[in-house]
Amino acid sequence: MKSKSEFVPHANAVKYVLIGAIAVLGLVGLYYGSSVAPGISRSGEDGLGSEGADPVLVGFVPRRDLDDLFADRERNPDVPRSIPVCDMRFSELIPCLDRNLIYQMKLKPNLTLMEHYERHCPPPERRYNCLIPPPVGYKIPIRWPASRDEVWRANIPHTHLAQEKSDQHWMVVNGDKINFPGGGTHFHDGADKYIMAVAKMLKFPGDKLHNGGSIRNVLDVGCGVASFGAYLLPLDIMAMSLAPNDVHENQIQFALERGIPSTLGVLGTKRLPYPSRSFELAHCSRCRIDWLQRDGILLLELDRLLRPGGYFVYSSPEAYAHDPENRKIWNSMYDLLRRMCWRVVAKKDQTVIWAKPMSNSCYLKRDQGTKPPLCSSDADPDASWNVLMKACITPYSARMHRERWSGLVPWPRRLTAPPPRLEEIGVTPAEFQEDTSVWRSRVDEYWKQMRPIFHKNSIRNVMDMNSNLGGFAAALNDKDVWVMNVAPVHASAKLKIIYDRGFIGTVHDWCEAFSTYPRTYDLLHAWEVFSEIDERNCGVEDLLIEMDRILRPEGFVIIRDKPSVINYIRKYLLALRWDGWSSEVEPRVDSLSSSEERVLIMRKKLWTEGANTI
């Protein structure tokens, strides 16, 4: 706009009219600007953003005192009437696994070490504070158990894998659906037959891989579309199916759309975000991993994660091919695992199975200077959030020495039996049992609250954003769902209890985006999550938008927190499009109640791209 000095004054009346018009325009602009995104940082605020910054890319202004924030906002409601919708090109955005961000920020990850598949989160000024739109033609996902075998093509419009893996029966395009016959690179005839063959190799009773409930937690690395994990579920085996978002486009997105427990991740330079001794069995079927690199550091990460006596099932050409190159790899791998004290327990056709030792005896008998060395006694084997891998063997503690499966009882008794590692986190068996009982009552109340709108099989993929001891997941065990238990970084020590109960989970910092595709969970449960994140100056609005990204249309959000938190979040329902249905109650006080609480349950609407698209 031109300055006043550039206008030719004709009369005082003209001057006053212009001044009045400018004032009116300014007030209108202020009103509409705040109604679109008042919580988004403006130019120069807190040093975030710059002149002409894109409002979709800058973060909400954090406030230090959450109670003051909520009280202030209730007196002076400064909540957006709407939140912008991201451009359709961001419909599959994973903010911390966005390779475009790597290029834009001119990062230089080591491609050989797979650093480009590891997490690289955007700084606050580059966050996408807009709602992720569903793809064109998106439909409410097919419900479990039918979803194991088919999904809507429009929901994940990628057919490259169907063409590339057509001879291996990964997936088949069938009109408006994509079917999953259950095949894989090394089990063309079906994962079910392959699983039975593995059980036969191990001589388990009845050729059942669960082995009477002693095999419960499995890590499947390089899992593809997770058909191996899908066919373990009828055996009461819970697999963490793991793969990066690599050239096999959207494989984990397909797995989650099918309702199969899975997550994005890579064996690169950092430890996987799981505690030590979490899995009875690890599996790699043509997973395309160089196990010999960096003194065997990736095999040593598997060693950290396997329980005493745990198995590594390896199906790959190195296990059976006789050409010189594969023989060389096999001999080197065999020598490395021998020095790690692993032993071959079975080998047949295309598969070899190793077992990890149950005690420290073999380690102590090795010649001095043998590599890989034992980790130092002060190293924490359970530390896993942003912790670099180490090329060393994690020895057992005196308590775990010779304790097969870490002394755990078989599944399903494992679900409610106090695990031995409770002592490590200062929890008594009585406190553990009380936690289980309280969460059973809490979940019963949640389900009663949702009863007016809840339909059978409408929930399959569940995330507990603050899993504590796993009581929420245990209370859901009689329902046909699976739970991704998330231990916030400050409570990561408790994740070992989750695994010892026979569940799966991960460590995460809720100040950052979660490593999953958009629209992958049917229910998000947040107990005291919002009260906690402000202590580290993280944005409540940022987390709400991240939860919307993760949540499927028609999915549910359960927030249990202080009344001031609930009152503030309720003001965002319209802007988030979570106003299809909601219910708020004051729950009964129990032994886990730290203060007055409210429970707010909301349902996300199914909406399509329209106005407010950025």
Side-chain angles (χ1 to χ4, degrees):
M1 182 179 290
K2 295 180 180 180
S3 66
K4 285 178 61 178
S5 63
E6 294 177 85
F7 288 96
V8 179
H10 296 292
N12 286 340
V14 175
K15 178 176 68 176
Y16 294 140
V17 168
L18 286 172
I19 292 173
I22 291 170
V24 170
L25 287 173
L27 290 171
V28 171
L30 178 63
Y31 172 79
Y32 282 105
S34 64
S35 69
V36 172
I40 297 178
S41 301
R42 306 300 195 276
S43 173
E45 290 183 352
D46 288 350
L48 305 177
S50 59
E51 188 70 30
D54 186 344
V56 176
L57 290 175
V58 294
F60 286 104
V61 180
R63 297 286 294 273
R64 297 195 61 81
D65 191 312
L66 195 60
D67 284 330
D68 289 346
L69 166 65
F70 295 140
D72 181 63
R73 288 291 176 86
E74 286 183 51
R75 288 192 298 267
N76 303 291
D78 186 22
V79 175
R81 297 185 178 186
S82 64
I83 296 174
V85 176
C86 301
D87 187 273
M88 185 59 73
R89 69 180 184 274
F90 299 119
S91 69
E92 294 177 350
L93 176 70
I94 310 168
C96 293
L97 295 173
D98 180 10
R99 281 193 288 280
N100 288 327
L101 178 71
I102 294 177
Y103 303 139
Q104 291 165 7
M105 297 184 66
K106 299 181 180 180
L107 304 178
K108 297 187 181 299
N110 188 318
L111 304 186
T112 303
L113 302 185
M114 302 295 176
E115 286 184 334
H116 54 307
Y117 294 136
E118 295 183 326
R119 289 172 58 84
H120 299 87
C121 295
E125 66 271 17
R126 295 197 63 85
R127 287 178 179 160
Y128 289 83
N129 276 316
C130 50
L131 302 181
I132 302 295
V136 175
Y138 181 88
K139 299 180 181 180
I140 297 301
I142 295 170
R143 297 307 181 187
W144 183 267
S147 62
R148 187 196 73 172
D149 300 326
E150 61 179 12
V151 302
W152 294 116
R153 178 178 178 179
N155 291 7
I156 310 178
H158 302 284
T159 58
H160 172 71
L161 275 177
Q163 301 162 9
E164 181 185 344
K165 303 291 184 179
S166 59
D167 61 327
Q168 299 170 14
H169 305 137
W170 279 35
M171 48 189 275
V172 177
V173 178
N174 183 13
D176 62 352
K177 294 179 180 178
I178 295 176
N179 298 125
F180 300 88
T185 306
H186 264 76
F187 41 91
H188 302 179
D189 296 329
D192 51 347
K193 296 181 178 63
Y194 172 74
I195 290 167
M196 183 179 293
V198 171
K200 283 183 178 180
M201 291 175 65
L202 291 168
K203 300 179 180 178
F204 286 167
D207 299 333
K208 302 293 186 182
L209 192 59
H210 59 61
N211 193 26
S214 64
I215 304 291
R216 168 63 180 176
N217 293 351
V218 168
L219 177 65
D220 185 18
V221 294
C223 65
V225 293
S227 289
F228 180 74
Y231 284 85
L232 289 176
L233 290 170
L235 298 171
D236 274 340
I237 296 175
M238 179 66 69
M240 177 67 89
S241 297
L242 179 80
N245 56 336
D246 59 9
V247 292
H248 289 158
E249 60 179 14
N250 303 81
Q251 52 193 338
I252 292 297
Q253 189 178 16
F254 280 118
L256 289 166
E257 185 78 5
R258 298 173 68 187
I260 301 169
S262 49
T263 191
L264 287 163
V266 66
L267 283 164
T269 66
K270 297 177 181 178
R271 286 178 172 179
L272 294 176
Y274 319 129
S276 67
R277 306 195 308 274
S278 293
F279 302 95
E280 286 86 31
L281 186 148
H283 174 253
C284 160
S285 173
R286 198 67 178 270
C287 55
R288 300 171 59 185
I289 293 175
D290 178 7
W291 295 107
L292 297 174
Q293 62 175 284
R294 293 174 284 159
D295 300 320
I297 197 169
L298 303 184
L299 280 170
L300 289 162
E301 174 65 357
L302 287 191
D303 183 87
R304 182 184 72 87
L305 295 171
L306 281 174
R307 301 196 196 275
Y311 299 108
F312 178 41
V313 179
Y314 185 57
S315 297
S316 188
E318 297 86 24
Y320 63 88
H322 295 286
D323 60 280
E325 182 62 26
N326 280 310
R327 284 296 86 195
K328 180 181 178 181
I329 295 173
W330 166 258
N331 290 335
S332 298
M333 193 168 176
Y334 182 88
D335 178 63
L336 170 62
L337 289 169
R338 179 185 59 80
R339 287 183 275 116
M340 289 171 55
C341 294
W342 289 21
R343 61 187 179 88
V344 174
V345 294
K347 186 178 180 184
K348 184 178 180 182
D349 299 331
Q350 301 179 356
T351 303
V352 60
I353 303 175
W354 276 280
K356 177 182 174 178
M358 287 189 293
S359 73
N360 292 329
S361 300
C362 174
Y363 304 145
L364 301 176
K365 293 177 182 177
R366 299 187 310 165
D367 293 337
Q368 188 173 2
T370 298
K371 292 185 176 181
L374 296 182
C375 299
S376 61
S377 58
D378 61 346
D380 182 1
D382 296 328
S384 61
W385 183 251
N386 286 331
V387 176
L388 293 175
M389 294 181 189
K390 296 180 180 178
C392 59
I393 300 171
T394 303
Y396 300 122
S397 65
R399 183 180 179 86
M400 288 295 105
H401 187 63
R402 297 188 183 282
E403 284 279 3
R404 189 176 184 84
W405 313 134
S406 299
L408 299 173
V409 299
W411 178 268
R413 286 191 292 138
R414 189 178 298 185
L415 174 71
T416 54
R421 290 199 281 187
L422 278 176
E423 183 180 348
E424 296 180 18
I425 62 170
V427 175
T428 67
E431 291 170 332
F432 173 83
Q433 299 289 12
E434 174 67 11
D435 182 90
T436 300
S437 176
V438 167
W439 278 109
R440 190 179 300 117
S441 297
R442 287 185 170 190
V443 168
D444 285 344
E445 292 301 316
Y446 292 161
W447 251 244
K448 289 178 184 177
Q449 202 172 337
M450 292 190 294
R451 185 175 296 164
I453 199 169
F454 188 78
H455 299 290
K456 184 179 180 182
N457 296 334
S458 59
I459 293 176
R460 172 61 183 170
N461 301 351
V462 177
M463 178 183 290
D464 189 4
M465 298 171 65
N466 179 17
S467 56
N468 195 37
L469 301 177
F472 177 78
L476 291 174
N477 189 59
D478 61 345
K479 304 181 184 341
D480 211 358
V481 304
W482 70 273
V483 180
M484 177 63 77
N485 294 277
V486 181
V489 175
H490 73 280
S492 60
K494 295 180 179 179
L495 190 59
K496 67 183 77 170
I497 306 305
I498 302 292
Y499 278 93
D500 288 354
R501 300 187 74 167
F503 300 125
I504 60 172
T506 185
V507 179
H508 184 64
D509 181 352
W510 283 116
C511 292
E512 300 177 358
F514 194 79
S515 294
T516 192
Y517 285 90
R519 303 171 300 279
T520 45
Y521 284 86
D522 301 297
L523 188 151
L524 305 178
H525 176 245
W527 171 48
E528 297 183 347
V529 173
F530 288 91
S531 291
E532 187 274 328
I533 62 167
D534 182 68
E535 295 178 5
R536 292 179 294 120
N537 206 24
C538 303
V540 171
E541 294 90 346
D542 289 329
L543 181 54
L544 286 170
I545 289 175
E546 170 61 6
M547 291 169 69
D548 182 81
R549 186 186 71 85
I550 295 171
L551 190 65
R552 285 173 168 174
E554 296 195 359
F556 293 90
V557 177
I558 303 175
I559 299 179
R560 189 185 192 103
D561 219 311
K562 295 185 294 187
S564 57
V565 175
I566 298 300
N567 290 341
Y568 179 57
I569 290 175
R570 196 177 343 102
K571 298 177 186 296
Y572 275 86
L573 299 191
L574 182 62
L576 289 165
R577 310 186 190 200
W578 293 359
D579 58 329
W581 176 89
S582 65
S583 173
E584 180 181 347
V585 300
E586 179 180 353
R588 66 185 67 178
V589 176
D590 54 46
S591 59
L592 296 181
S593 302
S594 58
S595 61
E596 186 182 0
E597 290 181 321
R598 292 287 190 277
V599 173
L600 177 62
I601 303 181
M602 302 144 285
R603 193 175 199 184
K604 177 179 176 178
K605 284 182 175 179
L606 171 61
W607 52 270
T608 57
E609 183 186 19
N612 291 339
T613 302
I614 297 296

